[in-house]
Every structure is written in C-alpha cells, then in structure tokens.
Amino acid sequence: AVVSTQSTGIVFGTIALLLNTEKFFDFVGSVTFILCTALAFFYEEKAQLVELKLIHAGCICVWAAKLGSFLLYRVISSGGDSRFDEIKASPIRFFRAWIIQGIWVYLNLMPSIFVFSAQKEVPELAFVSLIGWAIFAFGLIFETVADYQKTVFRNNPANKGKFITSGLWSISRHPNYFGEIILWYGLFIAAVPFFPSAWARLSVICPTLTAVLILKLSGVPMLEKSGMERWGKDPKYIAYLANTSCVIPCLGGSGDEKKSM
C-alpha cells in the first residue's frame, strides 16, 4: 500500500509538474484510494471473512468514486483549484503536495488494512463493525447531500456572488467536512473487531489526523479566510458566522468565532 500510494504520487506529480496543472489532483487521490483498497483486498484475500472485507472495501470505493468524480467535475467547471494558486509558483512545493497526498491516503487506509489482512474477528465485537458501517453511511450521505445542495446553489445564475445559507448549510458552515470526518471515524470503528492486538487501536490517530487537517490546516481555515475576503463587510455574512456552527451541525445556532467545530 505504501509503495502504491507513493508511486502514484510520484508519477502523477511529475505529470502535473510538466503540465503545470492541478486539475486532476483530487481525482488522482480518489483513484489511489480505490487502487490501494483493491490491492489490499485481493492480496490479503483469504477464505475467511471475505463478505465482511468486501463490505468494507465497498464503502471505501463508493466514497472515493463519489468524491473523486464530484471534485473533478467541480474543478473543470471552475477552471482550477484555488488551493494551488500560490503553490504552483514553486515546483518543489507543488510536487511535494502530491507526495503528501500519497502519505495521507495510506494513513487513512491504515485501520482498513487490518481488516483486509485479518484471519478472524472477535465475535463479541461483531456488532461494532455494523455500527461503524452505519456511521460511515451517515457521514457519506451527509457529505453528499451537502455537496449537492451547494452545487445546485452555485449553478443558479441568480446566486452568483452569494453565499449559501440553506439546507444543511443553515445548521453548519461546512457540513460536507462534518460528513467527511464522521465517515472516516466510522471506518475506524468498523475495523476494531479485526484488530490483531490492542496496539492496533492506536490507528485512531489516522482519522484524527484527517480531522485536524480539515479543521486546522487545508480545509476550514482556507475557506473561512476566503469567505471573509469576499463577504467580510456584508452584515448578513457576519450574522451567518455568528449564528451558524462552524462544522458540527447545530439547529439552535452556535456562532463560530468562538468555536472551531
């Protein structure tokens, strides 16, 4: 899995560098998830637990295919990815982003690798996998609905230059990120019955790193900054910030400026 993720990053990072384009960055990341999941599943496939492993692999592949195709459509429609506006000016930083993506893919898959390599599960914990897959499904649906609602909003010419405050975006400023974080914790929980030892539980750090990345580095902070640059002088936007939770959905309204989630 490590070799696959890094090989993909190096190959496509080199191509992106030569073409000076970031348009297929997220799509390649999604394909890498599917490729590594398939390799791990078939390489480790044994007679035991095939059905359960197939369910787990299916969860990852469905998420990756959905998100990859959506992000590819979005970047083509918008003409580029603003995250790379500054990075592309430096070949080293640009190429490094592709390598980091490979590392991120592997870390996210680490708990799932225990599933694919397992020879048995702990029977009394079997229900835990069902709970984990249910949490994953909830997160995936939440993320998908949020992305769909924002896409429909943006595609309406009447909303040009406006910010969305309807649907799930009325109870969270970043509901898609909430779904993303939840689904990875769901996959971790689903993997628990397959862990070979108590040490494997430390892989909880993997979905946690994803949450930190989204909440503190490349996700929420960048969009919050962009939002303030575009609508920071709009009283309606300031009210939206004050009355809408940043990430965790809150029907009663819980303003951000005090909370990162």
Side-chain angles (χ1 to χ4, degrees), residues 64-254:
K66 187 277 302 183
L67 189 63
S69 57
F70 168 73
L71 293 177
L72 181 63
Y73 161 78
R74 189 175 70 178
V75 77
I76 291 176
S77 299
S78 62
D81 189 332
S82 60
R83 294 176 302 173
F84 290 87
D85 289 347
E86 295 182 11
I87 295 177
K88 282 200 300 183
S90 169
I92 294 178
R93 291 179 64 193
F94 187 40
F95 185 75
R96 185 173 61 192
W98 292 83
I99 302 302
I100 292 175
Q101 182 188 68
I103 296 173
W104 175 71
V105 170
Y106 177 73
L107 288 176
N108 268 326
L109 287 178
M110 188 178 292
S112 299
I113 290 174
F114 289 118
V115 176
F116 301 133
S117 62
Q119 300 302 306
K120 61 180 181 179
E121 66 173 340
V122 180
E124 56 270 26
L125 292 180
F127 73 96
V128 174
S129 289
L130 297 178
I131 294 175
W133 289 325
I135 292 173
F136 165 85
F138 171 77
L140 180 65
I141 293 172
F142 204 92
E143 178 185 55
T144 302
V145 171
D147 285 335
Y148 173 76
Q149 290 176 339
K150 192 168 188 178
T151 299
V152 171
F153 179 85
R154 283 181 167 177
N155 288 342
N156 185 345
N159 294 325
K160 185 176 181 180
K162 298 180 180 180
F163 54 92
I164 182 172
T165 60
S166 57
L168 295 179
W169 301 83
S170 67
I171 57 176
S172 168
R173 300 203 303 277
H174 305 282
N176 53 335
Y177 284 151
F178 172 74
E180 178 82 0
I181 292 170
I182 289 297
L183 69 84
W184 284 113
Y185 275 111
L187 288 176
F188 166 79
I189 293 171
V192 169
F194 301 91
F195 287 169
S197 68
W199 287 102
R201 296 172 187 169
L202 292 176
S203 62
V204 69
I205 194 175
C206 299
T208 301
L209 284 174
T210 293
V212 171
L213 181 68
I214 289 174
L215 296 173
K216 300 298 183 181
L217 298 174
S218 69
V220 170
M222 293 179 67
L223 291 178
E224 293 284 287
K225 180 181 178 181
S226 175
M228 284 301 296
E229 290 174 350
R230 296 182 65 184
W231 304 296
K233 295 182 179 180
D234 186 339
K236 292 182 179 180
Y237 184 70
I238 298 303
Y240 178 62
L241 291 181
N243 298 317
T244 310
S245 173
C246 186
V247 177
I248 297 178
C250 182
L251 294 175
S254 179

